[in-house]
Structures are given as C-alpha cells and as structure tokens.
Amino acid sequence: MNGAESLVRTLVQGGVKLCFANPGTSEMHFVAALDRVEGMRCVLGLFEGVVSGAADGYFRMTGRPAATLLHLGPGLANALANLHNAKKANSGIVNIIGQHATYHIDYNAPLTSDIEALARPMSAFVRTSPDAESVARDGAAAIAVARQGQIASLILPADTAWNQADGIAEVEPAEAGASYAPRAVEEAARVLRGGEPALLLMTGSALSAHGLELAARIAGKTGCQVMGQTYNPLMARGRGRFAIERIPYVIDQALPILQQFRHIILVEASDPVAFFAYPNKPSLLKPNGCQVHRLTAHGERSVAALEALAGVLGAKPHDAQPQPQMALTPPSGALTPAAIAMAIALAIPDNGIVVDESITTGRGFFPPTAAAAPHDWLQNMGGSIGFSPPVATGAAVACPDRKVICLVGDGSAMYTLQSLWTQARERLDVTTVVFANRNYQILRGEFAGVEAGAPGQRALDMLSIDRPTLDWVSLAKGMGVEGRAVHSAEQLCAALTAAVAEQGPRLIEVVM
C-alpha cells in the first residue's frame, strides 16, 4: 500500500466517500488509488471553482464533508473564491492538494508555490504530510476538523503519495454539537419578557423547519419579531413553515426596519452589518442604544436552545400566529421581477432545493415563494461570484431524489459555466435559470451607492455584458445541457413546468 492508497482508505473509513476532483500530474497516484479502493465516488469538475463550490453544496445538504482533489498551488488558487464562500457558510471540506515531490521543490519548477500560505486564509487546518507513514494520520485529523464545519487542507507531496505506507488511520468519533449556555437562555427570556421591542435574528441550524416552528411560538407568545440574516446557508421555506423576512441588503431599506428594536437576540447570527462601506452611511446597522444578546454561536445546538427558550417562556404550538400567504396565480405578460418570482413559486416542487444567486433580480422573490411547496433555500454567504451553479451541482449529488433549481444572473453564471458539463456528465437533476439582463446590474447600483458619480462610456463598458451578447442556449448545448430561451411570463411558466417534470439538467435563459 502506498501513501495515496492509505489516504483514500482513511477517507472512506472516516465517512468521506465523495471526491470532487480536478487532478494533475502530482495527483496521479491518488487517482490510481481510486481504482484500488472501493467506496469512493469521484466527480470531475473542469474548473477548480466548480470543485470547491460543489463540496460546499454537498455539505450544506448532508452535514458531511466531501473531499476535493486540487492540482498544486494554482489549482488551489482557482478554488479559493468558492472556498471563501464555503468558509462563510461553515461548510466542512477536506481539500487534498497535490505538491511536487519533496526533493523537487528546491529546484523552483514553474508550478512551485507556497501552498500552505495559499491554503491558510480559508482553512482551519493546514498540513503537509512529509512522508508516507504520516499521511493517513494527517488525513484522519483533517476529517475530524471538516466534520465540525470547517475547511481542512492536506498537502500531499508526490513522493509521499507513491512511497510505501503501513496502513490507515482511525478517525476519532464525531462529537455532538456543543450545547448552549443556560445563562444565555435565561437572559433571552428576561429580555423577551421585558416588553421592549426585540428581534430574534437567526441563521444556521435555527432556520430548519423545527427551529422556525419554535421561533413562531416564541414570537406569538412574546410579540418579538423574527428575521434571518441577509444571506443564510440553508433556510426551510414554503407552505406550512414559518415564513420570515431577511434583513434587506440595501442599507436605506434595512435601517428603518431595525430602528425600532431595543434588543437583538442572535441565534448563530452575526451583528447586522452592511455588505459594503458607503459614504455617510453606517457599517453597523443596529440602532444606537440597541443591546445585543447572544443565544447561540455556530456549532452550538440552536434548536435545543430555542426549545429551552420556548419552555422557559411557556410558548406552546397554539401561540404561533396564523400567517397570511400570497395567492399564487400564473403570471402573464412581461418578464418583470414580480412575474418571475410568481413563476418560480408555482414551479418549486415539493421538497425542492433552490440555490439562489439571483442578486438584483431575486431581491423580491421571498414573499411569493413563501407560499410555494415546502423546500430548502440556499444563499451565497461569502459574496464571491460564481457560487450557485457549483453549489447546485453539489446539492444534486447529495440529494439525487430532489429537484434542484439554480437561480443566477448571466454575469455570475459565466464564472462557473463548467458546472453545466459536470451536471450533464453525472445526469444531475438541476434546472438552471439564467437571468440575462446583459449587464452586471448589481454593479450599476453599487456605482451610484458609493457616490462615484455618473458613469461615462468607459465605466458603462465595465458594467455591461454585450458586444457580443451571450447566447446561453448555445453555451448550454456546448456543455451537453438542453436549453431554451424565454421572452414572456407565459413562456417562463411553461419552460419551468417542463423542466421540473423531467429528469436531468436543463437551462432556461430568461431574456430581460
């Protein structure tokens, strides 16, 4: 058994049975080991940003880490944007990064780089295995870190991979999530009983169906409001679930909403802050004098804490207030954001998964989709563009029995277009909806928001996607995915209905 084989065996035994890969020369012994070790599924991505984003999506849907296989420093560098998003989402990933043979590094070959330095900003664990005897043990340590929702990066020199190793390493049993602090529950109960305007601001595991149900009871009992962060790793939504709004992205919309609160109780969430700095606008969005109280942090048992809080308050199921829901009617006419939102709400199937990077077009999607069939909604936690097609790919691998709908702007989709190829190769059940407004529309708003003045022609050229116009139906066909363009609300409804009814990848270009 060589070092690479001992690592693959350790990964499989430790429950890491999926590898999203884009290998090169230094990783060939790891690739060869995949033929000799049963139990590891490998999914090829044609760009490392697809690989890392897919691993993020897989963890969000399963709570289990996948591995990535990346080629040296440049391969890792290509993956970093979506590793940044994964880190912000607390998605556990085991990166296996090839390295030159130890004796070759000193010659400064073209691909030589400081891989540990590249890995460290996104990783809670970084280690180079110096010899074949240590690689299995290092792999087991990496798995333990990834199980806790963190990124672990294991660097595998080529000679470590091909030299003989003794065996595999046991992975320590996964620990249950940390408990919550009873004092935090008592403090939250005191605040909510005090009668001052209070906000329960939630993210993470608190946004599960049961966590939202408990929050509805607490809100009904105490009169507090419940909101989600602007962006969340996964939120349970749809009919029969407590529908909450998120803090608006736009500062001028967020400030009036938050101004009323004297207390904010954080359930895994962070203090509400602006996405960017803007002239003469605050970075911290809570009002002056508002007190912040933390119920739970990431990794703590937020649902158990909400159960305890409901118990202390005496909040029962009958305390949850009935929720008005928007009637869903098929839209007609022009492709306005409201019409698109209604079409999507009607199309979401029971137990569907929505991966949302729609940014500008999608800011109004939440009200109607609250009345859609029960589903999970995933968002971009880190803001790095090109998030949704890879995450949708990983979610579809994780949940092959569930329809995945990917919502993305045309500018964002170009960053990770190669995701479509992987979806076609693996026959993944993903419907990608591309909003083709021919602009980086978000940047037009940001140009005004930062008070950069009126854009001239050169600036406009940086904000427009034209000359030539992207042909998404042709791009999808080139990746092996069937596509169609729609120009009206009626056409969009028909295209979504057909795509949801069929198995396999589809793309819909919404020409706006």
Side-chain angles (χ1 to χ4, degrees):
M1 176 189 312
N2 63 24
E5 187 175 338
S6 73
L7 177 56
V8 176
R9 291 183 183 276
T10 298
L11 290 169
V12 171
Q13 181 173 286
V16 180
K17 299 183 179 181
L18 176 67
C19 181
F20 294 101
N22 187 280
T25 304
S26 299
E27 297 77 46
M28 287 299 102
H29 285 278
F30 188 98
V31 173
L34 299 173
D35 283 330
R36 297 192 291 270
V37 179
E38 295 295 326
M40 178 69 79
R41 178 184 177 184
C42 285
V43 175
L44 180 63
L46 298 185
F47 172 62
E48 293 89 343
V50 173
V51 167
S52 54
D56 179 8
Y58 182 84
F59 185 90
R60 294 197 200 195
M61 299 312 305
T62 65
R64 301 190 305 272
T68 69
L69 183 60
L70 306 171
H71 183 43
L72 297 165
L76 171 61
N78 282 340
L80 284 178
N82 274 327
L83 288 176
H84 166 80
N85 292 333
K87 178 182 179 181
K88 294 288 187 177
N90 297 303
S91 292
I93 299 172
V94 178
N95 293 319
I96 309 299
I97 307 158
Q99 172 61 293
H100 288 306
T102 55
Y103 59 80
H104 191 66
I105 293 173
D106 289 343
Y107 294 100
N108 194 27
L111 280 168
T112 302
S113 65
D114 188 344
I115 299 176
E116 289 194 2
L118 289 168
R120 198 163 284 115
M122 306 306 170
S123 307
F125 172 101
V126 178
R127 186 171 297 170
T128 300
S129 295
D131 50 57
E133 288 71 27
S134 62
V135 67
R137 181 178 66 253
D138 293 343
I143 294 168
V145 169
R147 282 176 173 174
Q148 302 304 313
Q150 300 180 92
I151 296 173
S153 293
L154 180 62
I155 301 163
L156 185 65
D159 50 338
T160 298
W162 70 53
N163 286 335
Q164 292 302 112
D166 293 332
I168 62 177
E170 295 285 340
V171 181
E172 295 182 5
E175 297 180 2
S179 188
Y180 56 89
R183 286 185 180 179
V185 174
E186 294 169 4
E187 180 182 354
R190 176 186 59 77
V191 168
L192 294 174
R193 284 174 174 150
E196 293 188 311
L199 170 65
L200 204 60
L201 182 58
M202 310 203 307
T203 193
S205 60
L207 296 181
S208 63
H210 187 41
L212 288 167
E213 178 188 353
L214 292 164
R217 297 181 197 175
I218 294 167
K221 182 71 174 181
T222 67
C224 75
Q225 291 195 35
V226 183
M227 297 185 74
Q229 292 185 153
T230 305
Y231 297 101
N232 301 280
L234 187 151
M235 182 188 292
R237 306 192 72 249
R239 292 189 298 270
R241 293 169 170 173
F242 182 38
I244 64 173
E245 289 298 325
R246 302 166 295 167
I247 294 176
Y249 172 93
V250 179
I251 291 180
D252 291 339
Q253 296 173 6
L255 290 176
I257 292 172
L258 296 176
Q259 187 64 39
Q260 62 183 298
F261 298 115
R262 307 306 301 161
H263 300 272
I264 298 177
I265 299 170
L266 302 176
V267 190
E268 292 193 46
S270 302
D271 277 3
V273 298
F275 208 86
F276 293 107
Y278 299 94
N280 305 311
K281 294 182 181 180
S283 293
L284 192 61
L285 303 182
K286 67 179 182 180
N288 291 333
C290 179
Q291 298 181 43
V292 175
H293 317 266
R294 179 162 293 285
L295 180 64
T296 58
H298 166 69
E300 295 181 334
R301 297 169 58 206
S302 295
V303 173
L306 290 169
E307 287 177 337
L309 180 58
V312 170
L313 295 168
K316 305 295 183 183
H318 61 76
D319 289 313
Q321 299 296 308
Q323 296 183 87
Q325 287 191 333
M326 183 181 294
L328 300 181
T329 56
S332 60
L335 283 167
T336 64
I340 293 169
M342 189 64 69
I344 291 168
L346 287 164
I348 295 172
D350 189 46
N351 206 29
I353 300 167
V354 179
V355 183
D356 179 16
E357 194 183 8
S358 51
I359 309 181
T360 309
T361 305
R363 286 179 183 167
F365 284 178
F366 256 43
T369 53
H375 61 277
D376 289 326
W377 197 283
L378 284 62
Q379 294 176 284
N380 186 347
M381 293 293 293
S384 181
I385 300 175
F387 144 88
S388 58
V391 169
T393 301
V397 171
C399 304
D401 57 338
R402 301 175 65 179
K403 174 70 71 173
V404 180
I405 298 175
C406 172
L407 308 176
V408 62
D410 49 359
S412 298
M414 283 302 296
Y415 279 63
T416 47
L417 172 68
Q418 306 91 333
S419 302
L420 297 175
W421 183 89
T422 299
Q423 292 170 17
R425 186 185 227 218
E426 299 291 326
R427 300 181 181 179
L428 301 178
D429 199 8
V430 180
T431 296
T432 300
V433 183
V434 178
F435 302 110
N437 56 23
R438 318 302 190 202
N439 289 294
Y440 284 123
Q441 191 61 38
I442 181 67
L443 296 185
R444 288 176 175 257
E446 296 300 324
F447 197 97
V450 300
E451 300 180 8
Q457 188 56 54
R458 291 178 185 173
L460 288 172
D461 283 345
M462 298 300 101
L463 309 179
S464 302
I465 308 173
D466 59 5
R467 304 196 324 268
T469 297
L470 296 169
D471 182 345
W472 278 97
V473 174
S474 296
L475 289 168
K477 182 179 179 181
M479 295 287 170
V481 172
E482 179 182 326
R484 62 187 290 188
V486 299
H487 299 81
S488 68
E490 292 90 344
Q491 290 178 353
L492 175 58
C493 287
L496 284 167
T497 298
V500 169
E502 299 166 348
Q503 289 290 314
R506 300 288 187 275
L507 181 138
I508 300 170
E509 179 183 13
V510 180
V511 182
M512 302 179 67

